[in-house]
Amino acid sequence: MTESPATLFIDGAWVPSSTGETRTITCPADGSEVGVVSEAGAEDVERAILAARAAFERGEWSGTPAAQRGDFLLRVADRLAERKDEFARAEAQDTGKRLVEAEGDMDDIASCFRYFGKIADQDPGRLVDAGDAAVISRVVREPVGVCGMITPWNFPLLQAAWKIAPALAAGNAFVLKPAELTPHTTMLMMEVLDELGLPKGVANLVLGDGGTVGAPLSSHPEIDLVSFTGGLVTGRKIAESAAKGIKKVALELGGKNPNVVFADADYEAALDNALNAGFLDSGLVCSAGTRLIIHESIAERFVDDLVARAEGIVMGGPFDESAETGPLISKAHREKVTDYVKRGVEAGARLRTGGHWGGPEHEKGFFYAPTVLDRCTRDNPAVIEEGFGPVITVETFSTEQEAIEIANHTEYGLAGAVWTSDAGTANRVSRALRHGTIWINDYHPYLPQAEWGGFKMSGFGRELGPTGLEEYTEAKHIYQNTEPAVSGWFPRKG
Ligand code: NAD
């Protein structure tokens, strides 16, 4: 048996698992071994939660002036920028995504820390007019306490950063459980937080699977808030479990995101971005624009062009400079995508390209060819379900109203785009779409200053922006009577 390495970060120390369990992490592009990490047991998770609680109660971090907490986050951003290559390589190896994409993720992570670093001390609270000159009434924001954070494998450190940065800015302690397949960059992040002097116990990292390590983070009485990014089924379980303990919950779940193209759109830009929307990072993006909804007058030409361009996409491993996209995360995931496409075709979609394994080393790496499913109806399972792979479904519309109806015909509501050269159409459609982010004549950009999150079954709560910080706080009303007086409600008798 492999000796359990000290890869759990609990109460300011790197420790092995109490159970001795380990997991070998492999690169999904070629199956090569990336490293061996320890998998936490229930006892380790318990220790991590109690360490976070004790750190929070000691108040070293929550009591640090907000401006200093902000400075700390700015230093984290600087450190990440300095160690960007190392972080990006680790992310690329764990996920199989291209190095250049992982580098972009690291830039985004540094920006996220900078943003929350800058706004950490910007909320002075609010004075409320109590209607009585003797009363000072104010509303202040305080940290929630101990946060349980559970994150997925597609943007391992980015999704964690969207939680860590605001949680620390607000003065919380936390326990983070990254996806079991992609732990390395979160380990590097703990190293940075530790080296920059975060008080012990404030940040804790437990590695392992959802059932053993993730579940206690939504049920343990010492967790005050659980913030989850991942799939709908897991999100529902976490919400149910958290409800029993009346915990605060933030859920960032999947999407089935419409990319609506009107006939008056800039054709080349819309075409290019339709590829980007659906196939970037092999479609392993929660906001991927995998539902192309296109005006019937341009559909045939557009889909022909899309198919031709999709067939030219080069797949390859993280360090292959000719590669334009990478593999899926695992064998099981590729089987899921294979089945999803099969069911879509059985339900009447026309397979225009893809629908099979691809890539240079598809026996060892989990590549799946960019796939286009044309002539889809709204009830096709490939249109309804989040396939989470490089698969674009095509639906057509004739009127603006119909486009809106199709785009909103999903239980999800994470993101979507509208392509048109008419400002009125852009305005009306963007307001009518029931999704948390809408792009007009673009796809995928997001800003740390702007809220991110879902309508409907894409979740609740928001990350990023001022609301992303507020999620990690409690509002407290303090009512101070400067001239205490007898109220007279219950007069003294006798
Ligand atoms: P997943 O739900 O399978 O796993 C996510 C995390 O939850 C992992 O760490 C996993 O170990 C853990 N987990 C599993 N079962 C658990 C349980 N019972 N209790 C607690 N934790 C548990 O999701 P995934 O396959 O890793 O990620 C892909 C999903 O994430 C997609 O649906 C994607 O759309 C979504 N996602 C959403 C966003 C967003 O911002 N909305 C961003 C990225 C990914």
Side-chain angles (χ1 to χ4, degrees):
M1 191 168 131
T2 321
E3 200 186 323
S4 172
T7 56
L8 312 178
F9 190 66
I10 300 176
D11 205 14
W14 288 99
V15 292
S17 164
S18 60
T19 64
E21 289 288 317
T22 59
R23 180 185 292 264
T24 301
I25 307 299
T26 54
C27 176
D30 58 14
S32 59
E33 183 175 322
V34 180
V36 176
V37 298
S38 286
E39 299 254 290
E43 198 183 301
D44 305 307
V45 182
E46 178 77 13
R47 270 205 331 110
I49 295 172
L50 296 183
R53 170 58 60 195
F56 182 71
E57 300 301 338
R58 280 197 303 274
E60 286 163 275
W61 182 248
S62 56
T64 297
Q68 281 178 32
R69 293 199 302 259
D71 284 348
F72 180 85
L73 295 189
L74 297 179
R75 286 193 287 132
V76 173
D78 290 345
R79 202 75 189 96
L80 289 175
E82 281 162 28
R83 293 178 66 178
K84 174 175 157 180
D85 290 349
E86 183 192 354
F87 272 66
R89 288 185 85 78
E91 197 76 300
Q93 281 177 322
D94 273 7
T95 60
K97 69 169 68 176
R98 294 182 307 146
L99 184 62
V100 58
E101 286 178 34
E103 285 168 351
D105 292 351
M106 297 311 132
D107 291 340
D108 285 0
I109 291 162
S111 302
C112 172
F113 274 89
R114 284 212 174 87
Y115 171 70
F116 285 110
K118 283 185 199 152
I119 67 165
D121 67 347
Q122 295 302 297
D123 181 4
R126 207 169 83 240
L127 273 181
V128 177
D129 182 356
D132 180 340
V135 168
I136 301 168
S137 170
R138 61 204 160 104
V139 176
V140 294
R141 289 264 166 197
E142 296 189 351
V144 173
V146 177
C147 307
M149 303 168 173
I150 304 169
T151 50
W153 43 257
N154 57 342
F155 291 90
L157 190 56
L158 185 69
Q159 296 303 335
W162 288 13
K163 302 181 192 310
I164 294 172
L168 290 181
N172 296 280
F174 69 83
V175 179
L176 167 68
K177 189 207 95 61
E180 51 273 42
L181 301 176
T182 54
H184 282 106
T185 45
T186 46
M187 287 161 54
L188 292 174
M189 170 61 78
M190 294 300 130
E191 223 176 87
V192 167
L193 297 178
D194 187 36
E195 146 197 322
L196 293 178
L198 191 68
K200 75 172 189 154
V202 173
N204 300 274
L205 177 72
V206 284
L207 308 178
D209 66 32
T212 315
V213 185
L217 298 184
S218 61
S219 61
H220 196 287
E222 295 296 346
I223 295 278
D224 299 299
L225 172 152
V226 52
S227 178
F228 171 75
T229 303
L232 174 59
V233 174
T234 318
R236 188 178 279 128
K237 274 191 213 160
I238 285 171
E240 280 168 5
S241 157
K244 293 202 181 93
I246 320 290
K247 295 184 193 313
K248 286 172 160 287
V249 184
L251 299 177
E252 294 288 344
L253 308 179
K256 194 66 212 186
N257 312 292
N259 185 22
V260 182
V261 181
F262 282 85
D264 64 356
D266 178 322
Y267 187 89
E268 280 306 318
L271 177 65
D272 182 68
N273 280 282
L275 289 157
N276 184 26
F279 298 140
L280 181 80
D281 199 10
S282 282
L284 303 177
V285 186
C286 50
S287 50
T290 49
R291 286 180 77 197
L292 174 64
I293 299 168
I294 185 152
H295 192 264
E296 58 190 12
S297 65
I298 56 166
E300 197 176 330
R301 177 180 163 218
F302 195 95
V303 176
D304 284 350
D305 286 345
L306 184 73
V307 167
R309 294 273 295 268
E311 285 173 351
I313 292 176
V314 180
M315 284 174 277
F319 308 112
D320 173 354
E321 284 183 5
S322 67
E324 294 167 335
T325 190
L328 302 181
I329 192 72
S330 64
K331 186 164 185 273
H333 184 210
R334 181 162 66 178
E335 277 162 13
K336 230 171 104 189
V337 173
T338 305
D339 175 64
Y340 160 85
V341 171
K342 186 166 155 266
R343 287 186 294 113
V345 173
E346 280 165 6
R350 188 166 63 148
L351 179 66
R352 290 290 307 273
T353 186
H356 54 79
W357 297 358
E361 291 195 80
H362 58 256
E363 293 305 331
K364 286 195 273 168
F366 308 116
F367 295 92
Y368 193 87
T371 299
V372 177
L373 294 176
D374 196 4
R375 300 197 187 159
C376 291
T377 51
R378 289 187 212 187
D379 56 355
N380 188 303
V383 169
I384 294 170
E385 295 168 25
E386 186 194 37
F388 224 51
V391 184
I392 293 178
T393 61
V394 184
E395 298 160 87
T396 57
F397 67 89
S398 57
T399 64
E400 181 178 310
Q401 195 48 39
E402 197 189 355
I404 292 167
E405 275 169 31
I406 296 173
N408 284 338
H409 186 78
T410 166
E411 61 183 8
Y412 291 107
L414 188 59
V418 49
W419 291 84
T420 175
S421 55
D422 183 80
T425 309
N427 181 46
R428 285 189 305 275
V429 176
S430 60
R431 293 306 301 260
L433 295 187
R434 304 278 300 154
H435 299 263
T437 293
I438 300 296
W439 293 286
I440 298 172
N441 296 330
D442 213 327
Y443 209 100
H444 277 320
Y446 76 93
L447 304 168
Q449 306 91 314
E451 277 73 1
W452 177 270
F455 284 28
K456 303 196 281 184
M457 292 227 202
S458 289
F460 47 77
R462 288 292 179 271
E463 299 201 290
L464 306 180
T467 319
L469 180 57
E470 213 175 276
E471 294 279 350
Y472 288 90
T473 64
E474 293 274 18
K476 179 185 280 180
H477 175 208
I478 302 176
Y479 181 103
Q480 180 182 6
N481 192 337
T482 61
E483 294 176 19
V486 170
S487 76
W489 277 107
F490 301 105
R492 192 187 283 273
K493 310 240 170 53

Short mmCIF file of all heavy atoms in Angstrom, two decimals, residues 128-150:
data_model
loop_
_atom_site.label_atom_id
_atom_site.label_comp_id
_atom_site.label_asym_id
_atom_site.label_seq_id
_atom_site.Cartn_x
_atom_site.Cartn_y
_atom_site.Cartn_z
N VAL A 128 -29.46 53.94 10.03
CA VAL A 128 -30.89 53.92 9.76
C VAL A 128 -31.54 55.00 10.62
O VAL A 128 -31.21 55.13 11.80
CB VAL A 128 -31.48 52.54 10.12
CG1 VAL A 128 -32.98 52.51 9.91
CG2 VAL A 128 -30.81 51.44 9.29
N ASP A 129 -32.45 55.77 10.03
CA ASP A 129 -33.13 56.80 10.80
C ASP A 129 -34.22 56.13 11.65
O ASP A 129 -35.23 55.67 11.13
CB ASP A 129 -33.75 57.83 9.84
CG ASP A 129 -34.44 58.95 10.59
OD1 ASP A 129 -34.50 58.87 11.84
OD2 ASP A 129 -34.93 59.90 9.95
N ALA A 130 -33.99 56.10 12.95
CA ALA A 130 -34.93 55.43 13.85
C ALA A 130 -36.12 56.32 14.21
O ALA A 130 -37.03 55.90 14.92
CB ALA A 130 -34.21 54.98 15.11
N GLY A 131 -36.08 57.56 13.79
CA GLY A 131 -37.18 58.47 14.10
C GLY A 131 -37.12 58.95 15.54
O GLY A 131 -38.11 59.41 16.09
N ASP A 132 -35.95 58.84 16.17
CA ASP A 132 -35.79 59.24 17.56
C ASP A 132 -34.35 59.75 17.70
O ASP A 132 -33.40 58.99 17.51
CB ASP A 132 -36.03 58.01 18.45
CG ASP A 132 -35.89 58.34 19.94
OD1 ASP A 132 -35.25 59.36 20.27
OD2 ASP A 132 -36.41 57.56 20.75
N ALA A 133 -34.21 61.01 18.05
CA ALA A 133 -32.87 61.61 18.09
C ALA A 133 -31.96 60.93 19.09
O ALA A 133 -30.74 61.04 19.01
CB ALA A 133 -33.00 63.11 18.40
N ALA A 134 -32.54 60.22 20.07
CA ALA A 134 -31.72 59.58 21.11
C ALA A 134 -31.20 58.22 20.66
O ALA A 134 -30.44 57.58 21.37
CB ALA A 134 -32.55 59.42 22.38
N VAL A 135 -31.62 57.78 19.51
CA VAL A 135 -31.29 56.42 19.08
C VAL A 135 -30.28 56.42 17.94
O VAL A 135 -30.41 57.19 16.98
CB VAL A 135 -32.57 55.67 18.66
CG1 VAL A 135 -32.22 54.36 17.95
CG2 VAL A 135 -33.46 55.41 19.86
N ILE A 136 -29.27 55.58 18.06
CA ILE A 136 -28.37 55.34 16.93
C ILE A 136 -28.70 53.93 16.42
O ILE A 136 -28.58 52.96 17.17
CB ILE A 136 -26.89 55.40 17.35
CG1 ILE A 136 -26.57 56.76 17.95
CG2 ILE A 136 -25.99 55.10 16.15
CD1 ILE A 136 -25.22 56.81 18.65
N SER A 137 -29.14 53.87 15.19
CA SER A 137 -29.54 52.57 14.63
C SER A 137 -28.68 52.32 13.41
O SER A 137 -28.60 53.14 12.50
CB SER A 137 -31.02 52.64 14.25
OG SER A 137 -31.36 51.52 13.51
N ARG A 138 -27.97 51.19 13.42
CA ARG A 138 -27.10 50.91 12.27
C ARG A 138 -27.16 49.43 11.91
O ARG A 138 -27.45 48.58 12.77
CB ARG A 138 -25.66 51.35 12.55
CG ARG A 138 -25.03 50.66 13.71
CD ARG A 138 -23.89 51.48 14.31
NE ARG A 138 -23.62 51.05 15.66
CZ ARG A 138 -22.57 50.30 16.02
NH1 ARG A 138 -21.66 49.95 15.14
NH2 ARG A 138 -22.41 49.91 17.25
N VAL A 139 -26.89 49.17 10.64
CA VAL A 139 -26.85 47.80 10.16
C VAL A 139 -25.40 47.51 9.77
O VAL A 139 -24.82 48.25 8.97
CB VAL A 139 -27.79 47.59 8.96
CG1 VAL A 139 -27.66 46.18 8.42
CG2 VAL A 139 -29.23 47.89 9.36
N VAL A 140 -24.84 46.47 10.37
CA VAL A 140 -23.45 46.12 10.05
C VAL A 140 -23.42 44.72 9.47
O VAL A 140 -24.32 43.92 9.68
CB VAL A 140 -22.53 46.19 11.29
CG1 VAL A 140 -22.43 47.61 11.79
CG2 VAL A 140 -23.02 45.25 12.39
N ARG A 141 -22.37 44.44 8.73
CA ARG A 141 -22.19 43.11 8.14
C ARG A 141 -21.12 42.37 8.92
O ARG A 141 -20.04 42.92 9.17
CB ARG A 141 -21.74 43.26 6.69
CG ARG A 141 -22.85 43.78 5.81
CD ARG A 141 -23.53 42.61 5.16
NE ARG A 141 -24.80 42.96 4.57
CZ ARG A 141 -25.71 42.05 4.24
NH1 ARG A 141 -25.49 40.78 4.45
NH2 ARG A 141 -26.83 42.41 3.69
N GLU A 142 -21.38 41.15 9.29
CA GLU A 142 -20.41 40.35 10.02
C GLU A 142 -20.19 39.03 9.30
O GLU A 142 -21.07 38.59 8.55
CB GLU A 142 -20.94 40.10 11.44
CG GLU A 142 -21.08 41.41 12.20
CD GLU A 142 -21.39 41.22 13.67
OE1 GLU A 142 -21.66 40.08 14.08
OE2 GLU A 142 -21.33 42.23 14.38
N PRO A 143 -19.04 38.39 9.53
CA PRO A 143 -18.82 37.11 8.85
C PRO A 143 -19.85 36.07 9.27
O PRO A 143 -20.34 36.10 10.40
CB PRO A 143 -17.41 36.70 9.30
CG PRO A 143 -17.08 37.57 10.45
CD PRO A 143 -17.89 38.81 10.34
N VAL A 144 -20.14 35.14 8.38
CA VAL A 144 -21.11 34.09 8.67
C VAL A 144 -20.55 33.11 9.71
O VAL A 144 -21.28 32.61 10.56
CB VAL A 144 -21.46 33.31 7.38
CG1 VAL A 144 -22.33 32.11 7.69
CG2 VAL A 144 -22.17 34.22 6.40
N GLY A 145 -19.26 32.82 9.64
CA GLY A 145 -18.65 31.89 10.59
C GLY A 145 -17.78 30.87 9.89
O GLY A 145 -16.77 31.21 9.29
N VAL A 146 -18.21 29.61 9.91
CA VAL A 146 -17.44 28.55 9.26
C VAL A 146 -18.15 28.14 7.97
O VAL A 146 -19.33 27.78 7.99
CB VAL A 146 -17.30 27.33 10.20
CG1 VAL A 146 -16.57 26.19 9.50
CG2 VAL A 146 -16.57 27.73 11.47
N CYS A 147 -17.42 28.20 6.88
CA CYS A 147 -18.01 27.91 5.57
C CYS A 147 -17.51 26.56 5.07
O CYS A 147 -16.30 26.28 5.12
CB CYS A 147 -17.61 28.97 4.55
SG CYS A 147 -17.97 30.63 5.10
N GLY A 148 -18.41 25.73 4.59
CA GLY A 148 -18.05 24.49 3.91
C GLY A 148 -18.11 24.76 2.42
O GLY A 148 -19.10 25.31 1.93
N MET A 149 -17.04 24.44 1.71
CA MET A 149 -16.99 24.74 0.28
C MET A 149 -16.73 23.46 -0.50
O MET A 149 -15.79 22.72 -0.18
CB MET A 149 -15.85 25.71 -0.02
CG MET A 149 -15.95 27.00 0.74
SD MET A 149 -14.41 27.89 0.58
CE MET A 149 -14.86 29.43 1.38
N ILE A 150 -17.55 23.22 -1.51
CA ILE A 150 -17.41 21.99 -2.31
C ILE A 150 -17.36 22.40 -3.77
O ILE A 150 -18.24 23.14 -4.25
CB ILE A 150 -18.61 21.05 -2.04
CG1 ILE A 150 -18.72 20.75 -0.54
CG2 ILE A 150 -18.47 19.75 -2.84
CD1 ILE A 150 -20.00 20.05 -0.13
#
